[in-house]
Amino acid sequence: MIPTNHATPLKAPAGAPWIVGVAHFACGTLPYPLSRRDIERDSAWAVTVYERLGLQAGQMIHLIGDGAEEVSWWPFENAAMRLHIPWIQAESGAFDTSRTDMVIRRFKLQAILGLSTPVLDALLALGRDPRQFFGGLRAVVAAPAAARKLAALSVPAWTLLQIGPVFAFEPPAGGGARYDESEWRVDAIDGELALSSVNARAAPFAKLRSGLRGRVEIVDSERRVFLE
Amino acid sequence: MDPSTSQTPSPPTAVVEPRFLDAVETLPRPQLRALQEQRLLRMLRYAYERSALLRNNWQAAGVRPDDIRSIDDFKRLAPFTDKDQIRAFRDEHDDPFGGLLCIPPEEISFIASSSGTTGDPTLFTWRWGSSDGMDPQCPGIEAGTSNFWPNTPRDLWQMGVRAGDYVVLLANRIRGPVFRVLERLGTIPILLSYHPDDTHAFVEMSRRYRPAVLFTASNPFIYQLELLERDHGVDMREVFTSYKAVMFAGEPMGPRNRRLLEGWGLIGRIYNQTAFGDIAVAHECREHEGMHAHEDFALVELVDPQTGALIEGDGVGELCVTSLINDVDPLIRYRSGDMIRLTTEPCACGRSSARFWTVGRSGDEVVVDGRTVLPMDVWAAVENVDDTSAGLFQVIRTGRHMPALRMRVGYGGTPDLAAVQAQLVESVQRAVGLIAEIELVPYSELLKIGPRNKIPRTAKQ
């Protein structure tokens, strides 16, 4: 082994900040530190999302998101590795549409997570037939406006809600969006979705308003989020 | 036994001199060459068995790994590879990896890719070290080396970055989860994007966490900071107080932006980053005398871009690289298209690796009236005009030979466009001796066409 000054791998204390991102709320942009413990819990929940999407080892997926959203995507990357699901990534801006286009054309994809409205619009502008283009996929998980647009084009899509830094997933048939209730609580305050942390996290949040209009209902003993 | 440990002056258990992360960084060049040769011969056997493209090319050239017993044999016999060959193989065989993949697809963890400015992006495929993703490693063919941005930890260490430091990471996700590289050093990444809205967040996070590194600034990002300073009175010297290093990437830094950053107190703390032939990235050291090519990871050659002939020794030519540790999708004798100036002279920092300066991309040059012009040649000419000082421009290139120098240049505000055009024509003529045809467009229009951290510097129309 080559001598090194490197502490390999450096293990930070479980609760100490491991990475810092930003979270967008109605009150503005807030720092969003995550501990290793936070990430491990979030990754465990992300595994259940892939299982609900019906994904299995060896099935390639496409993740679309901005660099600043990495704190939200990181658990989903870890979960994919845990399940041996390879992923290929792209940015969510319209400028990067050609990458998503290439990924869908060249790979036998099983799912897309994070399809943004600008990318969807640009794909449609390229003349892609949505039913043909997305038809072979096990799941398309899209931003709310993109999911509505796909539904209108007869392509069933999951809706990806972003409540601050937290992702919630609503199936194509509706019924409200699930989120990780063991870590978070979403309330509707005066018709606006608000986020609180439940567990001890590096960034405790208390009823931070998201700027999203919606309601919360109990469905099958779970809190589900409905966007309005 | 690994020659890097068996032949280094220090025994394996010795403490590495604190300025260097790995002892191999200062390996005397004869021993470095021995290490390269050992890794090269192993890599050739490994890749020939697994890479369909390599086998295809080598069989066409009538060469087998057994024919090669030294680096000299390799330089004499091995055929070149380039991006066009990879794309052709990809299209002919419906193989998205272009025949490069050397591991079973089920072992892939994730796939990153290049910016894709010249066609479908080049893929960079990775296998991760631990299945839960929490171990920030990505093993290469060589024990103890990481295959994911392998030299970046060394270069950050050289810049003075240490465990516990905060590092602002402005990164596109397309290049893969680079924050995992930062974690290898025990640093704490702060994740932001190049989106203009995040420029305010950058200022706030810099004041709150006092980071050590900005990884990485770009021309459009600096322009946004300049607007914050000008329009909102933000004191950029105060914002950058804690920074040991501001890394700059994506494209060359123009002289005006360098002056601007130095005016913010960053003299000696600006580090350029550039592509290292699509197998890694390369950075300057604290001496700022070229990008270090970590040659224990890659064999570096210079090639005449027109004839394909090997250029012996130091000089200017096309960068050609061979990966020595990548067991996933190694590039073997890969012509990068990047024109560089290379030197193997010792660096004052103490490292023994070669250094290079990017001159331009061979595919970017235009020839007008017998004069060769690269985007870098007209960069300062654009920056020197007040209303185009952000240096956002493109050279129009429908082919290598152009009847005239045509440029698309971005401007800010609402200036007298005729006056700006006249100033640009004069400034460009002073720089390259050609009268340019110039199309003026608002900055915002140019920024829409790139990945936020840069714009394509040549355009076909």
Side-chain angles (χ1 to χ4, degrees), chain B residues 8 31 54 77 89 92 110 131 170 257 324 328 388 454:
Chain B
T8 46
Q31 292 169 40
L54 181 79
L77 296 172
F89 192 95
E92 287 166 18
F110 57 87
S131 61
L170 298 174
N257 274 345
L324 300 176
V328 177
T388 62
K454 64 177 181 178

Side-chain angles (χ1 to χ4, degrees), chain A residues 5-6 20 74 89 91 99, chain B residues 20-21 114 173 184 191:
Chain A
N5 277 318
H6 202 284
V20 183
W74 189 12
Q89 35 196 49
E91 303 283 319
R99 190 178 316 277
Chain B
F20 306 103
L21 186 62
S114 67
R173 293 185 75 229
R184 291 191 66 221
L191 303 177

Side-chain angles (χ1 to χ4, degrees), chain B residues 164-181:
Chain B
D165 283 343
Y166 284 88
V167 177
V168 172
L169 178 61
L170 298 174
N172 294 315
R173 293 185 75 229
I174 58 173
R175 286 301 188 142
V178 178
F179 65 89
R180 295 173 191 267
V181 176

Side-chain angles (χ1 to χ4, degrees), chain B residues 203 225-226 228-229 234-241 264:
Chain B
V203 170
L225 292 181
E226 192 180 8
L228 275 185
E229 181 181 54
V234 174
D235 180 356
M236 287 300 162
R237 286 186 77 91
E238 184 270 331
V239 168
F240 281 107
T241 303
W264 292 341

Side-chain angles (χ1 to χ4, degrees), chain B residues 21-314:
Chain B
L21 186 62
D22 295 323
V24 72
E25 293 175 65
T26 55
L27 206 61
R29 287 198 69 81
Q31 292 169 40
L32 179 60
R33 185 178 170 91
L35 174 64
Q36 288 183 303
E37 196 160 82
Q38 182 216 38
R39 290 183 174 181
L40 174 70
L41 298 180
R42 184 170 52 176
M43 173 59 81
L44 295 180
R45 286 192 298 276
Y46 173 88
Y48 187 86
E49 286 175 11
R50 295 165 176 81
S51 164
L53 174 67
L54 181 79
R55 207 161 46 246
N56 196 55
N57 285 357
W58 281 45
Q59 285 174 350
V63 181
R64 295 181 54 83
D66 289 347
D67 299 332
I68 293 172
R69 298 172 187 279
S70 66
I71 289 176
D72 288 338
D73 287 347
F74 177 74
K75 291 182 175 181
R76 188 166 49 84
L77 296 172
F80 291 109
T81 313
D82 62 24
K83 199 168 276 189
D84 288 341
Q85 285 179 0
I86 296 169
R87 286 172 173 160
F89 192 95
R90 179 192 64 193
D91 295 341
E92 287 166 18
H93 297 83
D94 191 23
D95 172 2
F97 301 97
L100 293 172
L101 196 64
C102 287
I103 61 171
E106 58 268 24
E107 291 186 16
I108 295 171
S109 297
F110 57 87
I111 301 170
S113 46
S114 67
S115 56
T117 48
T118 58
D120 273 357
T122 304
L123 303 180
F124 309 115
T125 305
W126 309 99
R127 174 170 53 189
W128 207 248
S130 65
S131 61
D132 67 355
M134 297 304 288
D135 182 1
Q137 293 292 311
C138 188
I141 200 168
E142 183 69 29
T145 63
S146 177
N147 192 25
F148 183 57
W149 292 51
N151 50 292
T152 301
R154 287 181 188 171
D155 292 332
L156 285 167
W157 184 275
Q158 170 82 197
M159 293 171 201
V161 178
R162 296 294 182 267
D165 283 343
Y166 284 88
V167 177
V168 172
L169 178 61
L170 298 174
N172 294 315
R173 293 185 75 229
I174 58 173
R175 286 301 188 142
V178 178
F179 65 89
R180 295 173 191 267
V181 176
L182 303 178
E183 287 171 345
R184 291 191 66 221
L185 276 174
T187 64
I188 303 165
I190 298 173
L191 303 177
L192 297 172
S193 74
Y194 288 104
H195 194 284
D197 289 350
D198 271 6
T199 318
H200 291 273
F202 166 76
V203 170
E204 292 306 313
M205 300 290 246
S206 295
R207 287 173 171 160
R208 178 186 287 254
Y209 293 101
R210 291 301 177 192
V213 179
L214 170 54
F215 183 119
T216 58
S218 66
N219 285 310
F221 180 73
I222 292 171
Y223 173 63
Q224 296 294 337
L225 292 181
E226 192 180 8
L227 290 184
L228 275 185
E229 181 181 54
R230 190 189 72 192
D231 298 341
H232 299 277
V234 174
D235 180 356
M236 287 300 162
R237 286 186 77 91
E238 184 270 331
V239 168
F240 281 107
T241 303
S242 60
Y243 283 83
K244 298 174 188 173
V246 170
M247 298 161 72
F248 189 90
E251 53 188 14
M253 176 187 277
R256 182 182 174 278
N257 274 345
R258 176 171 288 279
R259 286 196 301 274
L260 192 63
L261 290 184
E262 289 179 347
W264 292 341
L266 293 167
I267 293 173
R269 289 184 278 162
I270 304 165
Y271 293 85
N272 283 307
Q273 177 195 83
T274 192
F276 182 26
D278 279 347
I279 64 169
V281 290
H283 306 91
E284 292 176 327
C285 66
R286 281 189 254 182
E287 301 299 326
H288 303 282
E289 285 293 333
M291 313 283 177
H292 277 272
H294 291 271
E295 293 173 278
D296 55 318
F297 297 146
L299 186 71
V300 176
E301 297 173 272
L302 273 185
V303 175
D304 184 315
Q306 302 303 323
T307 66
L310 194 62
I311 298 170
E312 291 292 347
D314 298 349

